[in-house]
Amino acid sequence: MSRKQSEDSSLELLLDTMCNTFGGVMFIAISLAVMISMRNAVAQQAPDHTAEIEKLKKETAVLAQQLASRMKETDELVRTARRMKDDPRLQIVNEIAFLEQQLKEKKLKEQLLERQAQLSRTELDNTKLKTQKISDSLLEAQKEESLLSQKKDTLDKQLAELKNRISGMTPQNMVFNTLVKKDQTPYFILLRDGKSWAVGPEIRDGVSRPLGSVSHTVSGGRVICRPAGEGVPVFSGDGFSSGFQALLKSIPADRIPEFVLARGEAENFYKLRNILKNEGIFHGFYLQRQENGDFSYQLTNVKTRYEY
């Protein structure tokens, strides 16, 4: 091998290495530029390109039709040239027309490729935008899910605390008594502010009259009663007062005490009721409804069963 050929070969190797290196550097640079531009395009929230995509699709379809038409014309020129091969002049004219047709066809192909590339870029931008919107929605959903999870954890803790409190409470039994019917006539006793007034009424010679501890009026067969005097205290310490015990003992054996409760007597009646139950005294109660504190009952000659 001659020296000149060796130098030419070395130069070619050097140039080839430099071109490859330069090509690699350019490829990396172009890749970085494309990635950065894609990130910027997503970050900038490009507008929706749906309308532009539709427009480009229509233009692409039109160009494709025009190109197909040009290609048919080219095929026709080719067939014409075959028929005119015996006439050099006509053949030259046909070749010129053929070249013009090819030029137009090439321009149409370039326009079509350009529209297709533009359409692809626009669809890519639109896809990036939709992807970004989906990512944003997903991020919001994840934040909302996190907040709901925190609320759930808080509620679970509160529920656990309530369960611990409930488990530490002493169970209590509630007893409900149902109403029973009896033939015994009620013996009414008014309760107000921890004091009592016996109403009765007492029955003498077949006539029903309230006791003297209350004043009364009769209206249309109804007897309207109201406390008179100071009344008898119900309690003395944790038990009944002597006066109230005497009142209970004065009730006829065929009568059942029925206590008429004024408003605000719940606490006193609860205490009274517990003592009565402990002593085994059957009784009933009636909630006073009149706003002025009066109590009324109906006079009747009909045999009646009473509920207690």
Side-chain angles (χ1 to χ4, degrees), residues 38-46 124-140:
M38 289 176 64
R39 291 184 61 185
N40 291 337
V42 174
Q44 292 174 0
Q45 290 290 325
L124 179 61
D125 292 340
N126 217 31
T127 302
K128 291 177 182 178
L129 176 62
K130 292 179 179 179
T131 303
Q132 182 63 32
K133 289 181 178 179
I134 293 172
S135 299
D136 294 341
S137 300
L138 180 60
L139 183 61
E140 291 296 326

Side-chain angles (χ1 to χ4, degrees), residues 159-284:
L159 181 60
E161 292 177 358
L162 289 174
K163 288 182 178 179
N164 292 332
R165 291 180 184 177
I166 292 173
S167 62
M169 292 181 178
T170 304
Q172 297 180 350
N173 295 326
M174 299 182 69
V175 179
F176 297 91
N177 293 328
T178 58
L179 294 174
V180 295
K181 290 185 177 182
K182 290 182 176 293
D183 294 329
Q184 291 93 325
T185 305
Y187 190 94
F188 297 113
I189 300 173
L190 300 182
L191 293 180
R192 182 181 295 177
D193 298 329
K195 295 182 179 181
S196 62
W197 290 261
V199 176
E202 63 178 356
I203 303 174
R204 293 183 182 179
D205 301 328
V207 179
S208 173
R209 295 186 182 87
L211 298 177
S213 60
V214 295
S215 61
H216 70 280
T217 57
V218 180
S219 175
R222 294 196 68 83
V223 180
I224 303 171
C225 305
R226 60 186 59 88
E230 296 182 357
V232 178
V234 178
F235 303 107
S236 177
D238 294 332
F240 291 146
S241 68
S242 57
F244 189 72
Q245 289 177 354
L247 188 155
L248 292 177
K249 290 179 180 179
S250 66
I251 299 174
D254 62 344
R255 306 281 294 276
I256 295 177
E258 182 162 352
F259 298 94
V260 181
L261 308 178
R263 293 183 178 182
E265 285 300 301
E267 184 176 354
N268 289 329
F269 181 69
Y270 177 78
K271 182 178 179 182
L272 179 144
R273 188 171 173 81
N274 284 332
I275 298 174
L276 292 175
K277 287 192 294 185
N278 291 334
E279 295 185 4
I281 300 175
F282 188 83
H283 60 281

